[in-house]
Amino acid sequence: MKQNAILVATSLLSILLLTLHVTDDIVRGISKAEPSNTALLVLAVFLYGTLVLAERRSGHVIMLLVGLFAAACRHPHEGAHYGEIARSTGGFFFVWTLWALGGLGGVTFILSARGLWSLRRGQRR
């Protein structure tokens, strides 16, 4: 499988898990439940960059940001309430998405950085 195809797949999966996790945060009352045009705009840019700009430098930069957001998603949850949330109803899904986002986001970040480096050096993937 081409490296770029793997990058697109990991980026799309990261976006899916990010939306599921943010939704879970809203349902639990961790994040505010308000319509946010900014969040929808960011989601649209992430999807456009992944699906349409995947072969371009700008697409790699957007996917790098997707990986960074996904990998860093667990840091706001490192408070005292983490254990309570883990033991609550739906805690397994909450913890699992944090782990999956951390790993998948890291891989997405690394693959997009490698892609940017290849584009910089003018190499074909």
Side-chain angles (χ1 to χ4, degrees):
M1 187 181 262
K2 290 174 57 176
Q3 181 178 338
N4 206 47
I6 296 170
L7 172 58
V8 169
T10 60
S11 183
L12 285 174
L13 194 51
S14 293
I15 293 168
L16 174 66
L17 289 175
L18 275 168
T19 58
L20 288 172
H21 186 74
V22 169
T23 302
D24 193 36
D25 281 354
I26 291 169
V27 169
R28 292 177 182 281
I30 296 170
S31 298
K32 292 182 180 180
E34 57 188 40
S36 173
N37 291 333
T38 305
L40 291 176
L41 179 63
V42 169
L43 178 60
V45 169
F46 281 178
L47 286 169
Y48 187 81
T50 299
L51 295 171
V52 178
L53 303 174
E55 298 287 332
R56 295 181 172 190
R57 179 166 296 153
S58 56
H60 279 76
V61 169
I62 290 170
M63 289 185 277
L64 186 92
L65 291 174
V66 168
L68 184 64
F69 273 65
C73 190
R74 69 179 194 87
H75 292 292
H77 298 294
E78 290 180 344
H81 300 295
Y82 182 79
E84 294 173 22
I85 295 170
R87 289 186 296 275
S88 69
T89 303
F92 175 84
F93 180 76
F94 181 85
V95 173
W96 178 82
T97 56
L98 286 178
W99 276 89
L101 281 167
L104 194 59
V107 169
T108 302
F109 184 86
I110 291 167
L111 289 174
S112 58
R114 285 185 64 192
L116 279 170
W117 184 258
S118 294
L119 289 173
R120 182 180 172 269
R121 293 180 19 196
Q123 295 176 348
R124 289 199 170 272
R125 291 176 305 272

Short mmCIF file of all heavy atoms in Angstrom, two decimals, residues 13-53:
data_model
loop_
_atom_site.label_atom_id
_atom_site.label_comp_id
_atom_site.label_asym_id
_atom_site.label_seq_id
_atom_site.Cartn_x
_atom_site.Cartn_y
_atom_site.Cartn_z
N LEU A 13 -9.45 8.06 10.01
CA LEU A 13 -9.80 7.36 11.24
C LEU A 13 -9.59 8.25 12.46
O LEU A 13 -10.40 8.24 13.40
CB LEU A 13 -8.99 6.06 11.36
CG LEU A 13 -9.46 5.05 12.39
CD1 LEU A 13 -10.94 4.74 12.25
CD2 LEU A 13 -8.64 3.78 12.26
N SER A 14 -8.53 9.04 12.45
CA SER A 14 -8.30 10.00 13.54
C SER A 14 -9.43 11.01 13.63
O SER A 14 -9.90 11.34 14.73
CB SER A 14 -6.97 10.74 13.34
OG SER A 14 -5.88 9.87 13.45
N ILE A 15 -9.88 11.51 12.48
CA ILE A 15 -10.98 12.48 12.46
C ILE A 15 -12.26 11.84 13.00
O ILE A 15 -12.98 12.44 13.81
CB ILE A 15 -11.19 13.04 11.04
CG1 ILE A 15 -10.00 13.89 10.62
CG2 ILE A 15 -12.50 13.83 10.94
CD1 ILE A 15 -9.98 14.26 9.14
N LEU A 16 -12.54 10.61 12.59
CA LEU A 16 -13.72 9.90 13.09
C LEU A 16 -13.66 9.74 14.61
O LEU A 16 -14.63 10.05 15.32
CB LEU A 16 -13.84 8.52 12.42
CG LEU A 16 -14.94 7.62 12.98
CD1 LEU A 16 -16.32 8.22 12.68
CD2 LEU A 16 -14.82 6.22 12.43
N LEU A 17 -12.52 9.28 15.13
CA LEU A 17 -12.39 9.10 16.57
C LEU A 17 -12.43 10.43 17.32
O LEU A 17 -12.97 10.49 18.43
CB LEU A 17 -11.11 8.33 16.90
CG LEU A 17 -11.10 6.85 16.51
CD1 LEU A 17 -9.74 6.23 16.77
CD2 LEU A 17 -12.20 6.09 17.23
N LEU A 18 -11.86 11.48 16.73
CA LEU A 18 -11.95 12.81 17.36
C LEU A 18 -13.40 13.26 17.50
O LEU A 18 -13.80 13.76 18.56
CB LEU A 18 -11.16 13.84 16.55
CG LEU A 18 -9.68 13.96 16.82
CD1 LEU A 18 -9.00 14.80 15.75
CD2 LEU A 18 -9.42 14.54 18.20
N THR A 19 -14.19 13.09 16.45
CA THR A 19 -15.59 13.50 16.53
C THR A 19 -16.36 12.67 17.54
O THR A 19 -17.19 13.20 18.29
CB THR A 19 -16.29 13.45 15.15
OG1 THR A 19 -16.21 12.13 14.64
CG2 THR A 19 -15.67 14.43 14.18
N LEU A 20 -16.09 11.37 17.60
CA LEU A 20 -16.74 10.52 18.60
C LEU A 20 -16.34 10.93 20.01
O LEU A 20 -17.18 10.97 20.92
CB LEU A 20 -16.40 9.05 18.36
CG LEU A 20 -17.05 8.38 17.16
CD1 LEU A 20 -16.47 7.00 16.93
CD2 LEU A 20 -18.55 8.32 17.33
N HIS A 21 -15.08 11.23 20.20
CA HIS A 21 -14.62 11.58 21.54
C HIS A 21 -15.16 12.95 21.99
O HIS A 21 -15.57 13.11 23.14
CB HIS A 21 -13.09 11.57 21.62
CG HIS A 21 -12.61 11.80 23.01
ND1 HIS A 21 -12.68 10.82 23.97
CD2 HIS A 21 -12.10 12.88 23.61
CE1 HIS A 21 -12.23 11.31 25.11
NE2 HIS A 21 -11.86 12.56 24.92
N VAL A 22 -15.18 13.91 21.08
CA VAL A 22 -15.73 15.22 21.44
C VAL A 22 -17.21 15.09 21.76
O VAL A 22 -17.71 15.70 22.71
CB VAL A 22 -15.48 16.24 20.30
CG1 VAL A 22 -16.27 17.52 20.51
CG2 VAL A 22 -13.99 16.56 20.20
N THR A 23 -17.92 14.26 20.99
CA THR A 23 -19.33 14.01 21.27
C THR A 23 -19.50 13.40 22.66
O THR A 23 -20.39 13.80 23.43
CB THR A 23 -19.94 13.09 20.20
OG1 THR A 23 -19.77 13.70 18.92
CG2 THR A 23 -21.41 12.83 20.46
N ASP A 24 -18.65 12.44 23.01
CA ASP A 24 -18.69 11.82 24.33
C ASP A 24 -18.41 12.86 25.42
O ASP A 24 -19.05 12.85 26.47
CB ASP A 24 -17.68 10.67 24.41
CG ASP A 24 -17.88 9.80 25.63
OD1 ASP A 24 -19.04 9.58 26.04
OD2 ASP A 24 -16.87 9.32 26.18
N ASP A 25 -17.47 13.76 25.17
CA ASP A 25 -17.18 14.84 26.13
C ASP A 25 -18.41 15.72 26.34
O ASP A 25 -18.71 16.13 27.46
CB ASP A 25 -16.02 15.71 25.64
CG ASP A 25 -14.67 15.09 25.89
OD1 ASP A 25 -14.58 14.04 26.54
OD2 ASP A 25 -13.67 15.68 25.42
N ILE A 26 -19.12 16.02 25.27
CA ILE A 26 -20.32 16.86 25.37
C ILE A 26 -21.41 16.14 26.15
O ILE A 26 -22.04 16.71 27.04
CB ILE A 26 -20.81 17.29 23.97
CG1 ILE A 26 -19.81 18.25 23.34
CG2 ILE A 26 -22.21 17.91 24.04
CD1 ILE A 26 -20.05 18.53 21.87
N VAL A 27 -21.62 14.85 25.85
CA VAL A 27 -22.64 14.07 26.54
C VAL A 27 -22.34 13.99 28.04
O VAL A 27 -23.24 14.06 28.87
CB VAL A 27 -22.75 12.66 25.92
CG1 VAL A 27 -23.59 11.73 26.77
CG2 VAL A 27 -23.32 12.76 24.51
N ARG A 28 -21.07 13.88 28.41
CA ARG A 28 -20.68 13.79 29.82
C ARG A 28 -20.64 15.14 30.52
O ARG A 28 -20.44 15.22 31.72
CB ARG A 28 -19.30 13.15 29.93
CG ARG A 28 -19.28 11.71 29.55
CD ARG A 28 -17.87 11.16 29.62
NE ARG A 28 -17.86 9.79 29.21
CZ ARG A 28 -18.25 8.77 29.97
NH1 ARG A 28 -18.65 9.00 31.19
NH2 ARG A 28 -18.23 7.54 29.52
N GLY A 29 -20.79 16.23 29.78
CA GLY A 29 -20.76 17.56 30.37
C GLY A 29 -19.36 18.11 30.53
O GLY A 29 -19.16 19.14 31.17
N ILE A 30 -18.36 17.46 29.94
CA ILE A 30 -16.98 17.94 30.02
C ILE A 30 -16.81 19.15 29.12
O ILE A 30 -16.12 20.11 29.46
CB ILE A 30 -16.00 16.81 29.64
CG1 ILE A 30 -16.11 15.68 30.66
CG2 ILE A 30 -14.58 17.32 29.55
CD1 ILE A 30 -15.37 14.41 30.27
N SER A 31 -17.43 19.10 27.95
CA SER A 31 -17.41 20.23 27.01
C SER A 31 -18.81 20.80 26.93
O SER A 31 -19.80 20.10 27.16
CB SER A 31 -16.96 19.78 25.63
OG SER A 31 -15.65 19.28 25.66
N LYS A 32 -18.90 22.07 26.56
CA LYS A 32 -20.21 22.72 26.45
C LYS A 32 -20.97 22.19 25.24
O LYS A 32 -20.40 21.97 24.18
CB LYS A 32 -20.04 24.23 26.33
CG LYS A 32 -19.52 24.87 27.58
CD LYS A 32 -19.44 26.36 27.41
CE LYS A 32 -18.91 26.98 28.69
NZ LYS A 32 -18.80 28.43 28.59
N ALA A 33 -22.27 22.02 25.44
CA ALA A 33 -23.16 21.54 24.37
C ALA A 33 -23.78 22.75 23.68
O ALA A 33 -24.91 23.11 23.92
CB ALA A 33 -24.23 20.63 24.94
N GLU A 34 -22.99 23.38 22.84
CA GLU A 34 -23.50 24.52 22.09
C GLU A 34 -23.09 24.37 20.64
O GLU A 34 -22.03 23.82 20.33
CB GLU A 34 -22.96 25.83 22.65
CG GLU A 34 -21.45 25.90 22.69
CD GLU A 34 -20.94 27.12 23.43
OE1 GLU A 34 -21.51 27.49 24.46
OE2 GLU A 34 -19.95 27.69 22.94
N PRO A 35 -23.94 24.83 19.73
CA PRO A 35 -23.56 24.74 18.32
C PRO A 35 -22.35 25.64 18.06
O PRO A 35 -22.34 26.80 18.43
CB PRO A 35 -24.79 25.22 17.57
CG PRO A 35 -25.59 25.99 18.57
CD PRO A 35 -25.23 25.46 19.92
N SER A 36 -21.35 25.07 17.45
CA SER A 36 -20.13 25.82 17.21
C SER A 36 -19.77 25.79 15.73
O SER A 36 -19.38 24.75 15.21
CB SER A 36 -18.98 25.24 18.04
OG SER A 36 -17.77 25.87 17.69
N ASN A 37 -19.91 26.92 15.08
CA ASN A 37 -19.53 27.00 13.68
C ASN A 37 -18.02 26.85 13.50
O ASN A 37 -17.56 26.35 12.49
CB ASN A 37 -20.01 28.32 13.08
CG ASN A 37 -21.52 28.35 12.95
OD1 ASN A 37 -22.16 27.32 12.83
ND2 ASN A 37 -22.09 29.54 13.00
N THR A 38 -17.26 27.27 14.51
CA THR A 38 -15.80 27.14 14.44
C THR A 38 -15.40 25.68 14.39
O THR A 38 -14.56 25.28 13.58
CB THR A 38 -15.14 27.85 15.64
OG1 THR A 38 -15.58 29.20 15.68
CG2 THR A 38 -13.63 27.79 15.54
N ALA A 39 -16.00 24.87 15.26
CA ALA A 39 -15.68 23.44 15.28
C ALA A 39 -16.05 22.78 13.95
O ALA A 39 -15.31 21.93 13.44
CB ALA A 39 -16.38 22.75 16.44
N LEU A 40 -17.18 23.15 13.40
CA LEU A 40 -17.60 22.59 12.11
C LEU A 40 -16.67 23.03 10.98
O LEU A 40 -16.37 22.25 10.07
CB LEU A 40 -19.04 22.97 11.79
CG LEU A 40 -20.10 22.33 12.68
CD1 LEU A 40 -21.48 22.85 12.34
CD2 LEU A 40 -20.04 20.82 12.57
N LEU A 41 -16.20 24.26 11.04
CA LEU A 41 -15.25 24.76 10.05
C LEU A 41 -13.93 23.98 10.13
O LEU A 41 -13.37 23.57 9.11
CB LEU A 41 -15.01 26.25 10.23
CG LEU A 41 -14.02 26.90 9.27
CD1 LEU A 41 -14.53 26.80 7.84
CD2 LEU A 41 -13.76 28.33 9.66
N VAL A 42 -13.45 23.76 11.35
CA VAL A 42 -12.21 22.99 11.54
C VAL A 42 -12.40 21.57 11.02
O VAL A 42 -11.54 21.03 10.31
CB VAL A 42 -11.79 22.98 13.03
CG1 VAL A 42 -10.68 21.97 13.29
CG2 VAL A 42 -11.36 24.37 13.47
N LEU A 43 -13.53 20.94 11.33
CA LEU A 43 -13.82 19.60 10.83
C LEU A 43 -13.84 19.58 9.30
O LEU A 43 -13.26 18.69 8.67
CB LEU A 43 -15.16 19.11 11.39
CG LEU A 43 -15.64 17.75 10.92
CD1 LEU A 43 -14.64 16.65 11.30
CD2 LEU A 43 -17.01 17.45 11.51
N ALA A 44 -14.48 20.57 8.69
CA ALA A 44 -14.53 20.65 7.22
C ALA A 44 -13.13 20.81 6.62
O ALA A 44 -12.80 20.17 5.62
CB ALA A 44 -15.44 21.80 6.79
N VAL A 45 -12.30 21.65 7.24
CA VAL A 45 -10.93 21.84 6.74
C VAL A 45 -10.13 20.55 6.89
O VAL A 45 -9.38 20.15 5.98
CB VAL A 45 -10.23 23.01 7.48
CG1 VAL A 45 -8.74 23.05 7.19
CG2 VAL A 45 -10.89 24.34 7.09
N PHE A 46 -10.27 19.87 8.03
CA PHE A 46 -9.58 18.59 8.23
C PHE A 46 -9.99 17.57 7.17
O PHE A 46 -9.14 16.88 6.58
CB PHE A 46 -9.87 18.02 9.61
CG PHE A 46 -9.08 18.65 10.74
CD1 PHE A 46 -9.30 18.25 12.04
CD2 PHE A 46 -8.13 19.62 10.51
CE1 PHE A 46 -8.58 18.79 13.09
CE2 PHE A 46 -7.40 20.18 11.54
CZ PHE A 46 -7.63 19.76 12.84
N LEU A 47 -11.28 17.47 6.91
CA LEU A 47 -11.76 16.51 5.90
C LEU A 47 -11.33 16.92 4.49
O LEU A 47 -10.89 16.06 3.71
CB LEU A 47 -13.29 16.39 5.98
CG LEU A 47 -13.82 15.61 7.17
CD1 LEU A 47 -15.33 15.78 7.29
CD2 LEU A 47 -13.44 14.15 7.07
N TYR A 48 -11.43 18.17 4.16
CA TYR A 48 -11.02 18.64 2.84
C TYR A 48 -9.52 18.41 2.62
O TYR A 48 -9.10 17.93 1.57
CB TYR A 48 -11.36 20.13 2.67
CG TYR A 48 -11.12 20.64 1.27
CD1 TYR A 48 -12.04 20.42 0.27
CD2 TYR A 48 -9.96 21.34 0.96
CE1 TYR A 48 -11.83 20.88 -1.02
CE2 TYR A 48 -9.73 21.81 -0.32
CZ TYR A 48 -10.67 21.58 -1.30
OH TYR A 48 -10.44 22.02 -2.58
N GLY A 49 -8.73 18.75 3.62
CA GLY A 49 -7.29 18.54 3.51
C GLY A 49 -6.92 17.08 3.34
O GLY A 49 -6.02 16.74 2.58
N THR A 50 -7.65 16.21 4.03
CA THR A 50 -7.37 14.78 3.95
C THR A 50 -7.84 14.17 2.64
O THR A 50 -7.13 13.37 2.03
CB THR A 50 -8.03 14.05 5.14
OG1 THR A 50 -7.48 14.56 6.36
CG2 THR A 50 -7.80 12.56 5.08
N LEU A 51 -9.03 14.56 2.20
CA LEU A 51 -9.61 13.91 1.02
C LEU A 51 -9.23 14.55 -0.30
O LEU A 51 -9.06 13.85 -1.30
CB LEU A 51 -11.14 13.90 1.15
CG LEU A 51 -11.69 13.06 2.31
CD1 LEU A 51 -13.18 13.30 2.48
CD2 LEU A 51 -11.39 11.59 2.08
N VAL A 52 -9.09 15.87 -0.33
CA VAL A 52 -8.87 16.57 -1.61
C VAL A 52 -7.41 16.99 -1.79
O VAL A 52 -6.88 16.92 -2.90
CB VAL A 52 -9.81 17.80 -1.71
CG1 VAL A 52 -9.57 18.57 -3.00
CG2 VAL A 52 -11.26 17.37 -1.61
N LEU A 53 -6.77 17.39 -0.71
CA LEU A 53 -5.40 17.92 -0.81
C LEU A 53 -4.34 16.91 -0.38
O LEU A 53 -3.21 17.30 -0.08
CB LEU A 53 -5.28 19.19 0.06
CG LEU A 53 -6.26 20.31 -0.24
CD1 LEU A 53 -6.11 21.43 0.78
CD2 LEU A 53 -6.07 20.83 -1.65
#
